[in-house]
Tab-separated table of all heavy atoms in Angstrom:
chain	number	residue	atom	x	y	z
A	26	SER	N	157.745	93.106	147.087
A	26	SER	CA	158.657	92.635	146.149
A	26	SER	C	160.060	93.489	146.436
A	26	SER	O	159.923	94.679	146.428
A	26	SER	CB	158.322	92.763	144.742
A	26	SER	OG	157.322	91.964	144.396
A	27	ILE	N	161.098	92.865	146.731
A	27	ILE	CA	162.357	93.414	147.065
A	27	ILE	C	163.353	93.086	146.006
A	27	ILE	O	163.656	91.962	145.813
A	27	ILE	CB	162.924	93.140	148.419
A	27	ILE	CG1	161.851	93.673	149.579
A	27	ILE	CG2	164.373	93.888	148.709
A	27	ILE	CD1	162.257	93.333	150.918
A	28	SER	N	163.977	94.038	145.427
A	28	SER	CA	164.937	93.833	144.221
A	28	SER	C	166.266	94.731	144.605
A	28	SER	O	166.079	95.701	145.375
A	28	SER	CB	164.475	94.141	142.932
A	28	SER	OG	164.169	95.484	142.734
A	29	PHE	N	167.284	94.459	143.961
A	29	PHE	CA	168.547	95.442	144.163
A	29	PHE	C	168.161	96.810	143.646
A	29	PHE	O	168.605	97.767	144.355
A	29	PHE	CB	169.653	94.861	143.304
A	29	PHE	CG	170.905	95.566	143.379
A	29	PHE	CD1	171.757	95.387	144.644
A	29	PHE	CD2	171.175	96.537	142.527
A	29	PHE	CE1	172.844	96.126	144.820
A	29	PHE	CE2	172.432	97.311	142.688
A	29	PHE	CZ	173.142	97.070	143.711
A	30	ASP	N	167.343	96.909	142.632
A	30	ASP	CA	167.050	98.291	142.083
A	30	ASP	C	166.144	99.012	142.991
A	30	ASP	O	166.340	100.305	143.094
A	30	ASP	CB	166.383	98.030	140.746
A	30	ASP	CG	167.267	97.532	139.627
A	30	ASP	OD1	168.452	97.791	139.806
A	30	ASP	OD2	166.833	96.880	138.805
A	31	ASN	N	165.279	98.426	143.755
A	31	ASN	CA	164.282	99.286	144.512
A	31	ASN	C	164.723	99.359	145.940
A	31	ASN	O	164.070	100.034	146.859
A	31	ASN	CB	162.913	98.689	144.384
A	31	ASN	CG	162.693	97.482	145.205
A	31	ASN	OD1	163.577	96.809	145.782
A	31	ASN	ND2	161.327	96.972	145.161
A	32	LEU	N	165.751	98.549	146.363
A	32	LEU	CA	166.249	98.455	147.781
A	32	LEU	C	166.516	99.835	148.268
A	32	LEU	O	166.276	100.249	149.534
A	32	LEU	CB	167.345	97.486	147.877
A	32	LEU	CG	167.727	97.194	149.254
A	32	LEU	CD1	166.598	96.451	150.087
A	32	LEU	CD2	168.932	96.094	149.143
A	33	LYS	N	167.228	100.607	147.495
A	33	LYS	CA	167.854	102.077	148.007
A	33	LYS	C	166.547	102.884	148.300
A	33	LYS	O	166.544	103.542	149.330
A	33	LYS	CB	168.683	102.601	146.956
A	33	LYS	CG	169.328	104.014	147.401
A	33	LYS	CD	170.244	104.543	146.372
A	33	LYS	CE	170.803	105.902	146.887
A	33	LYS	NZ	171.900	106.411	145.864
A	34	THR	N	165.653	102.916	147.432
A	34	THR	CA	164.368	103.634	147.552
A	34	THR	C	163.775	103.325	148.855
A	34	THR	O	163.206	104.165	149.652
A	34	THR	CB	163.545	103.625	146.512
A	34	THR	OG1	164.130	104.229	145.300
A	34	THR	CG2	162.274	104.517	146.646
A	35	LEU	N	163.569	101.898	148.972
A	35	LEU	CA	162.814	101.501	150.261
A	35	LEU	C	163.468	101.816	151.453
A	35	LEU	O	162.900	102.310	152.433
A	35	LEU	CB	162.657	99.911	150.128
A	35	LEU	CG	161.671	99.381	149.115
A	35	LEU	CD1	161.903	97.821	149.077
A	35	LEU	CD2	160.289	99.809	149.283
A	36	LEU	N	164.805	101.764	151.641
A	36	LEU	CA	165.517	102.103	152.704
A	36	LEU	C	165.476	103.620	153.038
A	36	LEU	O	165.290	103.916	154.245
A	36	LEU	CB	166.975	101.587	152.527
A	36	LEU	CG	167.811	101.844	153.842
A	36	LEU	CD1	168.442	100.691	154.407
A	36	LEU	CD2	168.972	102.890	153.656
A	37	GLU	N	165.717	104.433	152.002
A	37	GLU	CA	165.780	105.749	152.260
A	37	GLU	C	164.516	106.375	152.696
A	37	GLU	O	164.328	107.352	153.467
A	37	GLU	CB	166.161	106.623	151.040
A	37	GLU	CG	167.608	106.388	150.675
A	37	GLU	CD	167.981	107.173	149.343
A	37	GLU	OE1	167.145	107.355	148.581
A	37	GLU	OE2	169.219	107.360	149.340
A	38	SER	N	163.328	105.722	152.340
A	38	SER	CA	162.033	106.230	152.706
A	38	SER	C	161.411	105.614	153.901
A	38	SER	O	160.545	106.090	154.568
A	38	SER	CB	161.039	105.994	151.496
A	38	SER	OG	160.842	104.632	151.227
A	39	ARG	N	162.164	104.364	154.257
A	39	ARG	CA	161.417	103.666	155.527
A	39	ARG	C	162.217	103.472	156.721
A	39	ARG	O	161.767	103.218	157.745
A	39	ARG	CB	160.915	102.382	154.914
A	39	ARG	CG	159.952	102.506	153.751
A	39	ARG	CD	159.287	101.150	153.479
A	39	ARG	NE	158.600	100.604	154.740
A	39	ARG	CZ	157.504	101.047	155.198
A	39	ARG	NH1	156.882	102.051	154.610
A	39	ARG	NH2	157.066	100.543	156.280
A	40	ASN	N	163.553	103.484	156.571
A	40	ASN	CA	164.497	103.152	157.737
A	40	ASN	C	164.429	104.083	158.806
A	40	ASN	O	164.551	105.386	158.602
A	40	ASN	CB	165.963	103.044	157.175
A	40	ASN	CG	166.880	102.497	158.235
A	40	ASN	OD1	167.272	103.397	159.039
A	40	ASN	ND2	167.232	101.344	158.187
A	41	ILE	N	164.092	103.571	159.960
A	41	ILE	CA	163.807	104.534	161.134
A	41	ILE	C	164.992	105.349	161.593
A	41	ILE	O	165.080	106.384	161.918
A	41	ILE	CB	163.242	103.662	162.337
A	41	ILE	CG1	161.855	103.075	161.947
A	41	ILE	CG2	163.068	104.543	163.549
A	41	ILE	CD1	161.299	102.191	162.960
A	42	LYS	N	166.236	104.615	161.552
A	42	LYS	CA	167.451	105.285	161.884
A	42	LYS	C	167.897	106.403	160.872
A	42	LYS	O	168.409	107.387	161.282
A	42	LYS	CB	168.555	104.296	162.041
A	42	LYS	CG	168.361	103.362	163.252
A	42	LYS	CD	169.567	102.389	163.487
A	42	LYS	CE	169.760	101.324	162.478
A	42	LYS	NZ	170.947	100.462	162.818
A	43	VAL	N	167.599	106.035	159.705
A	43	VAL	CA	167.843	107.131	158.602
A	43	VAL	C	167.051	108.228	158.896
A	43	VAL	O	167.497	109.487	158.769
A	43	VAL	CB	167.665	106.512	157.150
A	43	VAL	CG1	167.677	107.657	156.142
A	43	VAL	CG2	168.764	105.442	156.923
A	44	GLU	N	165.683	108.054	159.219
A	44	GLU	CA	164.786	109.127	159.506
A	44	GLU	C	165.266	109.964	160.733
A	44	GLU	O	165.168	111.256	160.688
A	44	GLU	CB	163.354	108.637	159.630
A	44	GLU	CG	162.353	109.696	160.130
A	44	GLU	CD	162.088	110.645	158.990
A	44	GLU	OE1	162.683	110.622	157.953
A	44	GLU	OE2	161.394	111.691	159.426
Side-chain angles (χ1 to χ4, degrees):
S26 295
I27 299 177
S28 66
F29 181 82
D30 292 332
N31 72 0
L32 190 56
K33 184 175 182 180
T34 301
L35 290 174
L36 181 123
E37 288 178 338
S38 61
R39 303 192 53 78
N40 185 278
I41 295 175
K42 291 189 290 182
V43 169
E44 177 62 15

